[in-house]
Amino acid sequence: MLKIIIYGFLLLNVVHTVWTDTAGECNMAGFYIELGCTPVPAVDNATTCPESFICPDLHPDPKSCYYRGKAYQDRTTIPQRLINNPCSQACSCNVGNEPRFDCAAVDCVEVFDTDVQQQCISTYQLDSCCSTGSVCGKDDIAKLKTCEVDGQTYLEGQVFEPKNTRKSCICTPQWNGSTDNPDYCREINCGLEIHYQDRIFDNCAPVFAGNMKGCPIAFQCPSLQSKVVRGLNLRSISEQCTFGNMTLSVGDEVTVDEKCTTCACDVPPFVSCSRKSSC
């Protein structure tokens, strides 16, 4: 019995490691990682990407807010040290018609100061939401170290997100192309439960711009006009998606009010949506 338990533990760790490493390469993987869901690997091992996920009950009590499995009562605040997103500050639970978190607005001055944008470059630290400094003048800017990433050049202090990763990095003189150094790269946290608590509670679908490997730009909820359009489950996946009160099989689509958005059951249990870049 002990051997079986140890073998199962090691297997789970191997699966989790592969799953984490491919979060930036697999559709919806990063989304589910943040929600604490467990991957279901493809049966035929044809791909390293999970074909579906098993998620915990994200709202055991509809009168509480939940963040990373912990319940928060009305008007209680998440300790800042537990929030892995520097742009989410002073987030407290608000239980009205539906539970949600309200956070303090963070306004970064560099977004509004067009003069600084034209004459200077803003510089950042790894755990900062807004810029922490600036470098002005052609001569001083020319002295900065550069980082070549995915065909783009970044200056020292600038932020970039390497392709096929779930990392946000700062260009530093120590940059060597590896995203594993915590001194200049960190995991991206989308703040899903913080900013979309009520949407997740209602079984709405994350909306992505382009591929489904980054953070969603919004959530699409069902309306009275939403209908399921049955498709072909070519991968023969038994797990299903939930959209509001509707149940979809892999390959099914669902109509939504937003004309530029298409939604389908691709990686259960959440329906996922894509928004056309032209819109």
Side-chain angles (χ1 to χ4, degrees), residues 149-203:
V149 185
D150 301 322
Q152 299 289 328
T153 300
Y154 298 91
L155 296 174
E156 185 178 346
Q158 289 187 319
V159 181
F160 57 88
E161 297 177 8
K163 290 181 180 179
N164 298 326
T165 72
R166 289 276 295 183
K167 300 288 183 71
S168 176
C169 302
I170 301 290
C171 178
T172 71
Q174 292 75 38
W175 168 254
N176 61 2
S178 172
T179 61
D180 294 330
N181 192 323
D183 291 337
Y184 50 73
C185 286
R186 66 174 176 83
E187 295 286 343
I188 290 176
N189 184 285
C190 302
L192 297 174
E193 291 183 288
I194 292 177
H195 301 296
Y196 301 109
Q197 178 89 179
D198 52 344
R199 299 294 186 262
I200 295 173
F201 179 82
D202 288 335
N203 292 322

Side-chain angles (χ1 to χ4, degrees), residues 19 39 47 88 111-112 115 150-151 165 190 243:
W19 168 43
T47 174
S88 300
V111 176
F112 307 100
D115 290 336
D150 301 322
T165 72
C190 302
F243 185 59

Side-chain angles (χ1 to χ4, degrees), residues 1 30 35 37 52 54 58 66 73 78 83 108 123 127 131 136 144 166 183 186-187 200 205 207 212 216 228 267 279:
M1 178 65 70
L35 292 180
C37 305
S52 63
I54 298 174
L58 298 173
Y66 285 85
Q73 304 305 312
I78 304 175
I83 298 178
C108 297
T123 57
D127 293 321
S131 66
C136 303
L144 296 174
R166 289 276 295 183
D183 291 337
R186 66 174 176 83
E187 295 286 343
I200 295 173
V207 180
M212 301 178 186
V228 176
V267 184
C279 298

